[in-house]
Amino acid sequence: MTLVLPAAPVGNPFPGLRPFEPDEATLFFGREEQCDQLLAKLGQRRMVVVVGASGSGKSSLVRAGLIPALESGYLPSAGTAWRIAVCRPGANPVDNLAASLIAHRTTEAAGPSFGLDEIRSLLDFSSLGLVECAQRLLDGSSERLLVVIDQFEEIFRFSREGGASADDDAAGFVSLILAAALSYDAPVYVVLTMRSDYLGDCGRFVGMPEALNDSQFLVPQMTRDQVKEAIQGPIGVGGARITSRLVQRLLHDFEQLTIDGRRGRGVRAADPLPLLQHALMRVWEASSNARAADEAIDLAHYEESPVCTIAQALDLHAEEAFNGLADPEDRQIVERIFRRLTERDPENRDIRRPTAIDELGAIGHRVESAAPNECERVRSLIQQFAQPGRSFVFFDRLDVVDISHESLIRQWKRLASWVEREANSKRIFTTLSEWAEGRSQGRRALYRGPELDEALEWARVERPTEVWASRYGSKLALALGYLRRSQLARIARRTAVVAALAVVIILTGLYVLSQRRTAAYSVQLAEAKAQEADLLRQADDARARGQTDYEARLRAEAEAARLRAAAEQEKLSLPTLAGVTKSGGDDKREMYQLTMNLEQALSRAKAAEDSLARLRTGQSPPNTDRGELLNRIDTLQKELTQITADRDALRSRIDAQSKDFTRQLDEERGRTASANEAVATLESENADLRKSLAAASSSAPQLDYRDAFRRGVKAYDRGDWRDVVQSMRDAIRAQKSVKEAAKKVQVYGQRVENYAPQSYLGAASFELKDCGSVRAALEEANAESPSNAIKTKLQAARAQCGAPK
């Protein structure tokens, strides 16, 4: 099919990431055969669902291929008069459909009695609302209404996030579309575009799987000649020339990306068409001087800056736009905007999230303070990424901002890191909110350990606001209050531990000091007792030798008393010994006074003894009387006896205080022994538990990969795909190495034949949720020409994994 259309003004003939529009049909090359197939299916079914992977060109095929063909009369059964209504489900599917319909009213139906509100009421009234709107809009004319629902997969996000009534609204929207397509007497045709990885989600809606089975159109990959035409055609329309070697280099790089994508080699291999279109747009801009000089576009324009080949062109271009923002605050706002425009869904797919400019303005405030909406500032920043020659984002007629293509999320490294950071922030916040709500209901404890560390770091770095939290349920105040209580509880626990350690350290120091001082006292007391015993022994020896005179005995007893007093005085000189308290200081002074009195009495006794000795030898003065001297000695002996009694009473009080302090030390030792015994008991129980676990582990049965392969072969013969996958999972755990296991199954499982390794690798990829690798493995297995029974099983496996037939 060749369209004859008026030539459009040509600036840059390559749109970049955005799809081709209907007025750019003259620049749309390489899809003529697919447009013919799409027209034929639409004429037969009146509804076509255009399905393909992200970046396969679905939207461009419909907008720049199908719509211009219909308007040119290439569907004779429907005529040439068409009304086209194009919309996306977005956040309000029915409202968006009504807005696209109101833009195409006929003159007779455009009166005040049939406005947007009435169209909205008709769509809400019943599942035939779209049919009735079409009849009112066309008003009996020969025109036909084509309803194009682009990016139909957005309906699943709306159903998931739109609240309690979202499921009903989404089901009602799908019913409107299906009822219009099945009403063959109504002049309505329906075209949907949808990513192929959402095919399984269509089972949520009644009638949708049946409609898909009848009307699905899977966008095929472009052949080498078609890609070549898509490169050379727009350049020719633009009045330029391109060298053959650059065309060959572009085809080689494109095919390499396609092969890598088929084999699942990284996210950069998932977008060959968008990357090619964007690189060609940049090449056209880089070659402006050469084209002005009537020179051909050559390799230098592709390999050198700013393009630097397909692999780097998009990332470098996006970085150029971002680095053009000189204000660091503007960069922070742009980061928040793009994090708002992207999302990671529950199936771990990075997708677009169209957002109204008012909602984006609410997050365009300063990070440090919550300023009012700054829609104009946000709009100007978005324009930096939506200006001609970039087209990373765009505004629709409802002032909703969206990313031009998902490939920007995958190819711009900075945006990919932002998406990862936002997904991690969402995970932490939602988990924190759930725990906070559970805590308020008495079902959860406070955060502790690594979870608390992660949440505190998130709150410090992200500094979340209510505007941000509203996207995920708006429980920010509850979550942050719960986080603060968890932090205070941790501080309290650590303070208690530090205080307990300080008490233990102080008690241990006091105990060691008291032990040392008690030991020193015991040594000195033992030495004093030893000296006293030695004196008594000397006195006994003297009596045994006949020295029994009264004076010698008095001297021995006096010397013994003096030594005991000296020992007691030395004992009292030790500070805080034997539990002496503040009042013990008085006892010490009293003992010292008694000792001084004793010293004086001993001195007088010594003087009396000297006088007695002189008397005996005749050296004493003549007036000295022996009897008087003996009386003086008796008086001194009584005085010495009284002093000794006072000393013994003071010693009793000191001994009582020492016993009380010793009792306290014994009690402390008892408590310490009890604690040590408890610790020993816990360590013994822990050791017993480890022995039990070791015994249980040693007695656990070992998995043999051969048994797993036997089960897998039998299940494959039965056609039980689920059992095959489970058996392969067991084999992976038993064998550890996928490649080694594939070799062994080829040797052992003769009944699986030559396609066994591919089937095994397909099962391993299914375990990793990598459906791209599953499909590739199944295609390689199918290419080995197995029997019809095996083909049937492969088809069942392909359907189970969502692989296209």
Side-chain angles (χ1 to χ4, degrees):
M1 177 190 67
T2 303
L3 294 179
V4 180
L5 297 172
V10 177
N12 192 323
F14 299 101
L17 295 183
R18 68 170 178 83
F20 284 89
E21 295 297 336
D23 59 354
E24 296 173 323
T26 56
L27 304 173
F28 189 63
F29 289 86
R31 295 285 196 179
E32 289 80 6
E33 182 180 354
Q34 297 166 17
C35 286
D36 291 339
Q37 297 171 357
L38 196 57
L39 281 170
K41 185 174 283 289
L42 183 64
Q44 295 171 0
R45 302 295 182 185
R46 301 184 60 151
M47 176 179 176
V48 177
V49 182
V50 182
V51 179
S54 175
S56 60
K58 304 180 294 297
S59 297
S60 295
L61 178 61
V62 172
R63 293 171 182 259
L66 177 64
I67 292 177
L70 290 175
E71 293 177 335
S72 299
Y74 283 92
L75 186 61
S77 61
T80 60
W82 287 89
R83 297 283 179 171
I84 312 295
V86 182
C87 72
R88 291 171 53 179
N92 294 290
V94 179
D95 287 345
N96 292 338
L97 177 59
S100 66
L101 292 173
I102 199 68
H104 299 285
R105 296 174 297 177
T106 62
T107 304
E108 294 78 4
S113 62
F114 192 66
L116 180 61
D117 293 339
E118 186 170 356
I119 290 180
R120 188 67 170 82
S121 299
L122 287 175
L123 294 177
D124 286 337
F125 184 72
S126 71
S127 60
L128 295 175
L130 182 56
V131 175
E132 187 171 351
C133 284
Q135 294 171 348
R136 296 282 298 275
L137 288 168
L138 302 177
D139 196 24
S141 67
S142 61
E143 291 180 320
R144 297 290 185 268
L145 175 64
L146 176 67
V147 178
V148 178
I149 310 297
D150 199 9
Q151 308 292 329
F152 180 74
E153 63 270 11
E154 291 180 359
I155 195 68
F156 304 117
R157 179 177 60 84
F158 169 75
S159 176
R160 184 176 66 251
E161 299 180 357
S165 62
D167 284 337
D168 295 337
D169 293 342
F173 177 77
V174 174
S175 297
L176 288 171
I177 301 300
L178 295 180
L182 296 176
S183 299
Y184 288 98
D185 56 341
V188 182
Y189 292 76
V190 177
V191 176
L192 309 180
T193 68
M194 181 176 64
R195 283 171 51 173
S196 56
D197 48 348
Y198 284 88
L199 279 172
D201 296 319
C202 292
R204 301 181 189 178
F205 303 115
V206 177
M208 194 65 188
E210 293 81 1
L212 279 173
N213 291 336
D214 292 336
S215 59
Q216 177 179 334
F217 179 82
L218 181 62
V219 178
Q221 290 186 357
M222 297 179 69
T223 65
R224 182 182 179 88
D225 290 338
Q226 290 172 342
V227 176
K228 184 177 181 180
E229 186 178 354
I231 294 172
Q232 293 177 327
I235 292 178
V237 174
R241 295 178 294 114
I242 183 171
T243 62
S244 298
R245 61 179 182 178
L246 177 54
V247 173
Q248 295 303 317
R249 174 65 185 277
L250 288 168
L251 290 174
H252 174 271
D253 291 352
F254 178 84
E255 289 174 352
Q256 188 62 47
L257 285 176
T258 304
I259 293 172
D260 291 344
R262 187 184 302 119
R263 295 177 178 176
R265 295 178 180 175
V267 296
R268 288 187 171 275
D271 308 297
L273 273 178
L275 289 180
L276 176 64
Q277 283 292 327
H278 180 269
L280 288 170
M281 181 187 71
R282 296 289 279 167
V283 167
W284 182 269
E285 295 172 352
S287 63
S288 58
N289 292 334
R291 288 186 286 104
D294 197 23
E295 297 177 359
I297 304 173
D298 206 348
L299 277 173
H301 305 125
Y302 171 71
E303 294 177 341
E304 297 176 2
S305 179
V307 182
C308 299
T309 74
I310 289 178
Q312 303 182 55
L314 183 53
D315 182 61
L316 292 176
H317 196 190
E319 281 295 296
E320 175 187 306
F322 182 78
N323 293 330
L325 304 173
D327 189 352
E329 183 179 329
D330 287 344
R331 295 189 177 190
Q332 290 179 343
I333 294 175
V334 166
E335 176 183 348
R336 288 175 175 260
I337 289 172
F338 274 100
R339 287 172 64 173
R340 192 78 165 189
L341 293 174
T342 55
E343 183 178 19
R344 182 166 292 172
D345 67 5
E347 285 73 29
N348 207 35
R349 296 172 293 208
D350 294 334
I351 60 176
R352 295 180 282 178
R353 189 179 189 275
T355 307
I357 189 67
D358 292 339
E359 185 177 347
L360 292 177
I363 67 170
H365 55 69
R366 296 179 182 272
V367 178
E368 293 80 6
S369 61
N373 287 0
E374 299 179 356
C375 291
E376 292 306 319
R377 182 182 188 185
V378 168
R379 186 185 297 274
S380 65
L381 291 174
I382 294 175
Q383 288 291 353
Q384 299 294 319
F385 295 85
Q387 63 187 12
R390 285 181 178 163
S391 65
F392 297 132
V393 296
F394 65 91
F395 298 85
D396 66 8
R397 61 174 175 271
L398 299 178
D399 225 8
V400 173
V401 184
D402 192 10
I403 292 177
S404 299
H405 199 274
E406 289 92 345
S407 58
L408 181 67
I409 306 175
R410 294 184 285 266
Q411 307 301 329
W412 186 13
K413 298 177 183 178
R414 187 185 299 273
L415 180 54
S417 67
W418 288 344
V419 173
E420 181 67 29
R421 180 176 172 182
E422 181 67 20
N424 188 56
S425 185
K426 173 187 176 182
R427 175 186 61 80
I428 295 174
F429 175 65
T430 53
T431 304
L432 186 64
S433 299
E434 291 174 2
W435 277 70
E437 188 172 4
R439 177 67 175 179
S440 64
Q441 299 172 0
R443 297 183 291 103
R444 296 281 191 180
L446 294 174
Y447 257 15
R448 301 184 69 173
E451 292 82 5
L452 178 56
D453 294 334
E454 183 182 46
L456 290 173
E457 180 65 15
W458 163 79
R460 184 188 68 81
V461 174
E462 294 293 339
R463 288 183 290 180
T465 63
E466 286 291 349
V467 174
W468 175 85
S470 62
R471 179 177 177 181
Y472 304 117
S474 188
K475 297 180 181 177
L476 183 63
L478 180 64
L480 294 182
Y482 170 78
L483 182 60
R484 179 60 178 167
R485 290 193 297 273
S486 300
Q487 184 183 23
L488 292 176
R490 166 184 280 184
I491 294 173
R493 288 193 301 270
R494 290 180 174 177
T495 303
V497 170
V498 171
L501 289 175
V503 170
V504 170
I505 292 172
I506 292 173
L507 290 177
T508 303
L510 291 175
Y511 174 75
V512 171
L513 181 61
S514 64
Q515 288 291 93
R516 290 179 178 177
R517 291 183 174 179
T518 302
Y521 161 74
S522 300
V523 169
Q524 293 185 7
L525 188 60
E527 291 176 353
K529 289 181 177 179
Q531 291 179 1
E532 183 178 6
D534 185 62
L535 290 174
L536 293 175
R537 181 181 55 78
Q538 292 178 9
D540 292 339
D541 291 343
R543 282 194 299 270
R545 291 193 302 267
Q547 298 177 1
T548 58
D549 61 295
Y550 182 67
E551 295 83 358
R553 183 170 59 82
L554 287 178
R555 284 195 301 271
E557 289 179 354
E559 182 64 14
R562 186 183 67 80
L563 291 175
R564 282 196 299 272
E568 291 297 336
Q569 181 178 2
E570 182 64 21
K571 167 186 170 183
L572 289 176
S573 66
L574 293 174
T576 67
L577 277 180
V580 176
T581 60
K582 182 177 180 181
S583 61
D586 297 335
D587 295 336
K588 179 178 178 181
R589 286 191 294 271
E590 183 179 354
M591 176 61 77
Y592 180 77
Q593 186 62 42
L594 289 174
T595 304
M596 295 300 296
N597 295 339
L598 182 60
E599 288 289 344
Q600 294 175 2
L602 290 174
S603 298
R604 291 195 298 272
K606 183 66 170 60
E609 289 176 1
D610 293 339
S611 299
L612 183 60
R614 286 192 299 271
L615 183 61
R616 287 175 178 171
T617 58
Q619 297 178 1
S620 176
N623 58 351
T624 302
D625 185 17
R626 178 182 177 84
E628 180 182 358
L629 187 58
L630 291 175
N631 290 334
R632 288 174 56 191
I633 291 174
D634 289 337
T635 302
L636 291 173
Q637 180 64 34
K638 291 178 181 179
E639 183 178 355
L640 182 61
T641 301
Q642 182 62 39
I643 292 173
T644 303
D646 293 340
R647 182 203 61 194
D648 292 340
L650 183 59
R651 178 190 291 175
S652 297
R653 292 202 304 271
I654 293 174
D655 289 342
Q657 293 180 2
S658 177
K659 291 178 180 179
D660 184 63
F661 181 72
T662 303
R663 178 183 56 79
Q664 293 177 3
L665 288 179
D666 291 340
E667 291 176 355
E668 186 66 28
R669 292 193 189 99
R671 286 193 294 270
T672 303
S674 299
N676 292 336
E677 183 178 356
V679 171
T681 302
L682 289 175
E683 291 178 348
S684 176
E685 293 176 355
N686 189 19
D688 294 340
L689 181 59
R690 290 180 179 176
K691 291 179 181 179
S692 300
L693 289 175
S697 300
S698 61
S699 63
Q702 300 296 322
L703 181 63
D704 189 355
Y705 74 92
R706 297 181 182 84
D707 294 336
F709 288 140
R710 291 191 189 99
R711 292 199 308 272
V713 171
K714 293 179 181 179
Y716 211 101
D717 289 337
R718 294 196 308 270
D720 188 349
W721 176 253
R722 295 180 182 273
D723 201 3
V724 170
V725 172
Q726 185 59 47
S727 301
M728 292 307 176
R729 289 174 178 168
D730 294 341
I732 290 172
R733 288 195 294 270
Q735 188 59 34
K736 304 299 183 185
S737 172
V738 172
K739 292 184 179 179
E740 186 67 22
K743 294 178 182 178
K744 290 188 178 181
V745 74
Q746 194 172 17
V747 174
Y748 179 75
Q750 295 298 328
R751 296 172 65 187
V752 187
E753 300 177 355
N754 291 331
Y755 58 87
Q758 287 78 14
S759 302
Y760 179 85
L761 295 176
S765 300
F766 184 81
E767 168 71 12
L768 300 175
K769 295 184 174 54
D770 184 356
C771 276
S773 297
V774 172
R775 289 195 293 270
L778 292 175
E779 288 173 3
E780 292 179 12
N782 196 25
E784 298 184 10
S785 301
S787 63
N788 291 331
I790 298 305
K791 286 184 178 180
T792 303
K793 294 172 185 176
L794 289 174
Q795 291 175 357
R798 190 177 290 110
Q800 186 70 22
C801 281
K805 296 182 179 180

